[in-house]
Amino acid sequence: GERDDEHYRKLVAIKVVKRGMDSAEVLARFRHERQILASLEHPYIARLIDGGTTPDDRPFFVMEYVQGQPIDSHCREHGLNVESRLRLFLRVCEAVAYAHRSLVVHRDLKPGNIFVSAGEIPKLLDFGVAKLLDPGNDPGLTATSVAMGPLTPEYASPEQIRGLPITTAADVYALGAILFEILTGRRAQRIATHTALEIDRVVCQTDTPR
């Protein structure tokens, strides 16, 4: 979207629940993500600008528009050397560490949720399945097992796959998988078929190759 009035012009990203997808659970999760974003202010996390409700009662929020590409594509297409890749990755770690200090676990870290803009600035996106570590503030809306809710198996930790309690260690595990990929050009977890048995075998029972 674009703000265009007498004050200034600005490109933004607008996230809104699609018609037909607006179940009570989806709407609650969406509002939960909006509240999490409202609590996070960090240069490497896409910033929440505004939020509200459409005339037909669908919640939306307006975010900083990140003009860039996923971190794996950025490293590859710009031919970054190892030192530059590590320097960029450390910035991602700063953003995740800040979220953890704010008692937020992202739970779906992957290259597609980390965009890199001009100046080698990473921006962490999509807190849709994030979890607040403070149980008093977490409405329990997001699930973590393959059978129960959204995750990306190639970057999910064993405890996520098996539906066990989630801590900041799950994000650290995902960061390791991302680092493996941007340094080697291959995924740490190579899953042939996305069946529950195959995902469990690869993620929970198979060592990552050196």
Side-chain angles (χ1 to χ4, degrees), residues 10-192:
K10 182 180 181 65
L11 283 176
V12 296
I14 302 173
K15 190 170 184 177
V16 61
V17 178
K18 290 174 63 175
R19 290 186 183 88
M21 299 284 291
D22 48 350
S23 67
E25 181 184 355
V26 169
L27 291 174
R29 182 181 294 138
F30 190 91
R31 292 188 178 98
H32 182 53
E33 177 183 7
R34 189 170 63 184
Q35 185 55 50
I36 285 178
L37 284 172
S39 70
L40 299 177
E41 284 282 347
H42 191 276
Y44 303 146
I45 296 177
R47 185 168 57 90
L48 179 70
I49 297 173
D50 199 0
T53 306
T54 66
D56 56 351
D57 291 326
R58 289 180 297 141
F60 70 87
F61 53 84
V62 181
M63 296 182 63
E64 167 188 6
Y65 176 70
V66 182
Q67 190 159 9
Q69 57 190 153
I71 189 171
D72 57 336
S73 301
H74 178 87
C75 291
R76 183 173 59 253
E77 294 182 16
H78 289 77
L80 299 188
N81 59 28
V82 170
E83 182 180 352
S84 297
R85 292 175 193 232
L86 292 175
R87 189 179 299 114
L88 179 60
F89 181 74
L90 283 174
R91 290 179 171 177
V92 176
C93 291
E94 286 182 35
V96 175
Y98 167 80
H100 289 175
R101 289 195 300 273
S102 301
L103 302 181
V104 173
V105 182
H106 188 284
R107 300 203 301 181
D108 195 25
L109 292 172
K110 56 187 175 182
N113 282 339
I114 305 166
F115 267 50
V116 182
S117 59
E120 301 296 310
I121 302 299
K123 291 285 186 176
L124 198 55
L125 308 170
D126 198 356
F127 281 79
V129 295
K131 183 177 181 68
L132 286 165
L133 289 178
D134 179 359
N137 290 325
D138 184 4
L141 298 168
T142 52
T144 56
S145 73
V146 173
M148 292 175 61
L151 52 74
T152 306
E154 287 81 0
Y155 307 94
S157 64
E159 61 268 28
Q160 286 179 282
I161 297 299
R162 293 185 168 173
L164 300 174
I166 300 303
T167 68
T168 55
D171 281 352
V172 176
Y173 182 98
L175 286 171
I178 294 167
L179 179 60
F180 184 105
E181 187 168 344
I182 65 174
L183 290 180
T184 68
R186 298 182 301 165
R187 286 181 174 174
Q189 307 286 16
R190 292 187 282 279
I191 302 171

